[in-house]
Amino acid sequence: MVLSAKHRDELNCAIADYLKSSGYIEAFNHFVQEAAVPSDKVTEKKFNGLLEKKWTSVLRLQKKVMDMEAKMSETVKEYEGGPTKKDRSSDSWIPRPPERYCLTGHRMPVTRVIFHPVYNVMVSASEDGSIKVWDYESGDFERTLKGHTDAVNDIAFESSGKTLASCSSDLTIRLWDFVGFECMKTLHGHDHTVSSVQFVPTGDFIVSASRDKSIKVWEVSTGYCTKTLLGHREWARIATISPDGKLIASGSNDHTIRIWNIATKECTMELRDHDHVVECVAWAPELCTPHINEAIKTENAKAAKSEGPFLVSGSRDKTIKVFDVSTGSCIISLIGHDNWVRQAIFHPSGKFIVSCGDDKTLRVWDFKNRRCTKTINAHEHFVTCLDFHKSTPYVITGSVDQLCKVWECR
């Protein structure tokens, strides 16, 4: 490589400065004489430590190049080793990097992302008070729903997808017509931040959890609160309804998970296996039952078969746990996240658990063998939420970095 006269002079001055500052006086004198370096230039401030700075910059760039080459090699291997679209089976769908789309538009952290149960759209909620609708197949933004005056903490569809429920730190729950995209009702009743909302399977009622420590059941047609469940000693962060619509599982800042009978309002069980705030709780669909029983037998071959129901939870103690609600026992513990677990859900096939957390990762767990089979560095900041489409190979994530990402599975 041939240097210009200017660059050659600057390099000579930088070398001379390095030799002099390092105490190599004899070498300095010989070099200055042989390279004809003007003595006044060597003393210029811009050459002080210049050679060392350039050298460390080269090392940093070299490391970045090596890291990028390693990531590219891993991506190529995954792409070439993965099944083709024809061979895909929903049983083995796993999200793969890089993301297919990175969706920008929110001005504050994303708190929840969900797929529409019918259409090829996804919805995101944010601390900026907005709800946004996106086409996850094209990555296009479609519209924004505005109405809340503070952070939107959770969103949920009823089974047909015609109604969307949202809850907020403005103490309200809103019901949205997802055909006309207008707010139909605003529900008042909680005394503090509403952090969770979900429809019962029939769609007639919704269940909410709040920082006022209560869980409430609301009638959709009238907007009235029909039941209030009290028992948590601190913030009730999440409440989720079992697939048969008979039980509620709630997680709280008091480190417990409570199981409630909706009909009687009675707390039938309190699970105390977590050592920190319970961030998320999700019921296992019925197709998980045989896989969970297999996992139980790997630990205890004589264990009796259980029909559940089963529950997965994630906590700030960095663990994911699976519970058999029929016995109140923790049957699986998964350890691997390096920070708070924000969300954990069952894979559509029932064979895996998918989770995300404040360690900025998206993880896939083979719970039968108690190991993490895939770790994706998903975002530049905490990953707050995820959803896995029930019938198409897509996963979506949201983050404190204000981005939503769409991941294709294969």
Side-chain angles (χ1 to χ4, degrees), residues 276-287:
H276 210 318
V277 171
V278 180
E279 285 279 347
C280 58
V281 178
W283 292 95
E286 283 187 20
L287 53 75

Side-chain angles (χ1 to χ4, degrees), residues 90-91 93 285 287 346-352 354 388-391:
S90 60
D91 287 0
W93 282 345
L287 53 75
F346 283 96
H347 187 281
S349 69
K351 292 182 178 180
F352 306 103
V354 186
F388 206 126
H389 201 283
K390 301 296 184 291
S391 57

Side-chain angles (χ1 to χ4, degrees), residues 134-393:
W134 318 77
D135 184 323
Y136 64 81
E137 289 189 332
S138 66
D140 294 333
F141 166 75
E142 294 202 348
R143 68 181 68 242
T144 299
L145 306 181
K146 293 182 179 178
H148 284 293
T149 57
D150 207 335
V152 182
N153 300 312
D154 198 10
I155 45 179
F157 280 110
E158 51 85 29
S159 57
S160 72
K162 293 178 181 177
T163 305
L164 175 76
S166 62
C167 65
S168 168
S169 296
D170 65 12
L171 316 190
T172 68
I173 298 165
R174 287 178 178 257
L175 297 177
W176 305 82
D177 172 11
F178 210 72
V179 178
F181 300 102
E182 292 186 354
C183 180
M184 302 184 296
K185 288 186 182 72
T186 302
L187 314 182
H188 299 269
H190 280 296
D191 299 323
H192 211 316
T193 296
V194 189
S195 50
S196 168
V197 65
Q198 189 182 2
F199 282 90
V200 300
T202 57
D204 302 331
F205 295 87
I206 58 175
V207 174
S208 63
S210 167
R211 195 170 180 175
D212 64 13
K213 308 175 188 176
S214 73
I215 296 153
K216 292 182 181 288
V217 181
W218 310 76
E219 189 174 31
V220 172
S221 59
T222 62
Y224 293 147
C225 175
T226 59
K227 292 173 183 175
T228 299
L229 312 180
L230 298 172
H232 279 297
R233 295 173 291 282
E234 292 185 44
W235 185 346
R237 285 200 166 260
I238 186 163
T240 180
I241 304 99
S242 61
D244 62 9
K246 294 178 180 178
L247 301 173
I248 294 174
S250 60
S252 168
N253 276 31
D254 64 14
H255 306 184
T256 69
I257 299 167
R258 285 176 176 253
I259 309 299
W260 310 80
N261 184 308
I262 296 182
T264 64
K265 300 196 296 183
E266 178 189 2
C267 176
T268 60
M269 191 175 294
E270 187 177 42
L271 308 173
R272 295 171 168 270
D273 293 78
H274 282 296
D275 300 324
H276 210 318
V277 171
V278 180
E279 285 279 347
C280 58
V281 178
W283 292 95
E286 283 187 20
L287 53 75
C288 290
T289 302
H291 303 298
I292 293 174
N293 275 304
E294 280 183 37
I296 296 170
K297 287 193 176 292
T298 60
E299 289 284 302
N300 179 7
K302 296 181 180 179
K305 185 179 177 181
S306 174
E307 294 301 321
F310 302 102
L311 196 67
V312 64
S313 64
S315 167
R316 292 185 186 179
D317 64 12
K318 308 177 190 177
T319 68
I320 298 164
K321 294 183 184 291
V322 178
F323 295 90
D324 183 347
V325 175
S326 66
T327 61
S329 58
C330 175
I331 52 178
I332 299 169
S333 283
L334 303 174
I335 299 171
H337 275 289
D338 298 322
N339 209 329
W340 298 355
V341 180
R342 291 294 196 103
Q343 193 164 4
I345 58 175
F346 283 96
H347 187 281
S349 69
K351 292 182 178 180
F352 306 103
I353 289 171
V354 186
S355 66
C356 64
D358 282 4
D359 58 5
K360 308 174 190 177
T361 66
L362 172 66
R363 294 175 185 253
V364 180
W365 303 82
D366 170 10
F367 58 80
K368 178 183 175 182
N369 296 303
R370 275 81 169 169
R371 65 188 182 94
C372 178
T373 60
K374 185 70 180 172
T375 300
I376 299 171
N377 294 314
H379 287 265
E380 293 298 316
H381 214 312
F382 305 153
V383 188
T384 55
C385 49
L386 72 97
D387 196 16
F388 206 126
H389 201 283
K390 301 296 184 291
S391 57
T392 60

